[in-house]
Amino acid sequence: MTDPHTMTKRATMIEVARLANVGTMTVSRVLNNSTHVSPETASRVHAAIERLGYRPNEIARALRGAKSKSIGLIVPSLADPFFAICAHNINTVARSQGYAMILASSNDSPDTEFAQAEWMLQKHVEGLLICPVSAAHPSRLGDPIFQRTPIVSFDRPLALPNVASVVVENHAGAKKGTQHLIEHGHKHIHFLGDAPDLFTIKTRHEGYRRALLAAKLTPGECMTCNSEEAVFDYLKRVLAEPHAPSAIFAGNNRISRYTFRALNRLELRIPDDIAVIGFDDFDMADMMQPPLTVINQPVDLMGRTAADVLFEKLRLPMEEWPEQESRTSLKVQLVLRASCGCAFGASTVEE
């Protein structure tokens, strides 16, 4: 039970040392789980801490090189709901471990990513979770200053030694979605991506192509549909060609929304005139007209898994970190609605 007088002010390490009849250095060793303190002495220190309600100053301990009980998270954009969901779940895991989370955005710039990561090291974070910038920009996170810091990437792998990554089955999901459109009888299916060097888009495009080539069909794609106008211009052009697409595979949820708007502007009916499947579910996708069929990736699980992997690594000494990159791949699901041509209001989920 905490003494009443300790509730009016923060107890100090000196007061703990006096009550336990030890030096302040001994109290510090107990707090840092040092093996150089006898069980009897440690017991007296813990009893004094409990009686006084002492709470160590985490910031001061961090400045002395002790654990800060914090991790850093860097994402490409704070405006993207996908990363907001990941951040929420990472923070939930961190709090369950007694850790705080520092959040920053790289704006998909390798220099900003490096600067944010370096700043976080100055704040004594114990580990970093990063969704890396596009592969078109060489990462600077291989700098020696990060060698002693556990790093886990998510959504996109980071090809650096000792870095673990958590991704989803992008290739398999895109292949399955494309096969579903083929089963509906579509022979001219176009893929829309917004960044040809981005791991997720590149891998999904490969899965799409694999499905088409296996069916002896010819791929058609736009890998630079990175704005609503770009999607509209591309669809307006290809839909006027002799072998116009009868179906669209949208590479991410942003492109799915752009596609719906473009087809509405072109006064085309979905799926009667053209079918649509998108990679990644999002709020209101099931409320669109018609409801959007998607490849659903487990965003919540990605955030939690990435955080779990980081905390597993934090428990290991540096010399036990695996030298090679390790990768965890999470399964995706085809969620059938109506935009692909299935019965209106369909909600069947296929593994």
Side-chain angles (χ1 to χ4, degrees), residues 72-91:
L73 170 62
I74 303 175
V75 297
S77 170
L78 295 175
D80 191 327
F82 174 88
F83 296 118
I85 295 171
C86 286
H88 171 76
N89 285 276
I90 289 169
N91 188 52

Side-chain angles (χ1 to χ4, degrees), residues 150-162:
I151 298 177
V152 174
S153 71
F154 64 96
D155 189 47
R156 314 166 188 172
L158 188 59
L160 292 173
N162 297 319

Side-chain angles (χ1 to χ4, degrees), residues 71-329:
I71 60 172
L73 170 62
I74 303 175
V75 297
S77 170
L78 295 175
D80 191 327
F82 174 88
F83 296 118
I85 295 171
C86 286
H88 171 76
N89 285 276
I90 289 169
N91 188 52
T92 298
V93 174
R95 292 183 63 184
S96 73
Q97 298 290 328
Y99 276 65
M101 183 188 81
I102 301 175
L103 173 62
S105 170
S106 68
N107 296 320
D108 215 22
S109 161
D111 292 335
T112 303
E113 180 183 76
F114 177 85
Q116 294 286 16
E118 184 180 37
W119 174 79
M120 287 180 176
L121 290 193
Q122 294 171 2
K123 297 298 180 183
H124 302 279
V125 296
E126 296 180 36
L128 292 171
L129 281 157
I130 297 176
C131 179
V133 299
S134 168
H137 310 293
S139 174
R140 297 179 58 191
L141 297 179
D143 190 284
I145 65 172
F146 301 111
Q147 286 182 352
R148 301 185 64 84
T149 303
I151 298 177
V152 174
S153 71
F154 64 96
D155 189 47
R156 314 166 188 172
L158 188 59
L160 292 173
N162 297 319
V163 175
S165 62
V166 178
V167 298
V168 302
E169 294 181 338
N170 293 286
H171 186 282
K175 182 179 178 182
K176 188 172 188 66
T178 306
Q179 288 172 334
H180 183 71
L181 290 171
I182 293 172
E183 290 167 2
H184 273 287
H186 295 285
K187 299 186 182 301
H188 300 287
I189 306 168
H190 282 217
F191 180 94
L192 304 187
D194 57 0
D197 295 311
L198 193 63
F199 169 81
T200 49
I201 293 297
K202 183 178 180 179
T203 311
R204 292 166 193 174
H205 180 243
E206 290 172 353
Y208 152 85
R209 286 182 61 88
R210 182 67 60 88
L212 284 186
L213 295 175
K216 295 182 169 53
L217 298 175
T218 302
E221 61 267 325
C222 173
M223 299 297 285
T224 56
C225 285
N226 51 13
S227 70
E228 186 170 339
E229 283 304 311
V231 171
F232 175 79
D233 291 343
Y234 177 78
L235 290 177
K236 182 179 180 180
R237 176 175 61 81
V238 297
L239 287 169
E241 295 176 353
H243 299 292
S246 61
I248 297 296
F249 191 105
N252 59 35
N253 61 48
R254 186 162 58 98
I255 299 173
S256 294
R257 294 192 292 270
Y258 292 164
T259 299
F260 261 65
R261 292 170 190 164
L263 294 176
N264 183 58
R265 288 171 63 184
L266 292 167
E267 299 183 345
L268 293 173
R269 298 169 300 165
I270 306 172
D272 297 338
D273 298 323
I274 186 167
V276 179
I277 286 183
F279 202 110
D280 195 16
D281 209 354
F282 55 93
D283 283 345
M284 304 301 290
D286 59 337
M287 300 297 290
M288 298 176 77
Q289 293 299 323
L292 176 65
T293 292
V294 297
I295 304 298
N296 180 46
Q297 56 178 330
V299 185
D300 291 355
L301 182 60
M302 180 184 291
R304 292 197 303 270
T305 302
D308 287 339
V309 171
L310 179 63
F311 281 105
E312 287 176 10
K313 200 167 184 178
L314 284 172
R315 287 189 278 268
L316 293 175
M318 182 180 174
E319 54 271 16
E320 293 184 20
W321 294 354
E323 293 183 4
Q324 301 299 319
E325 175 198 10
S326 62
R327 186 177 298 185
T328 302
S329 294

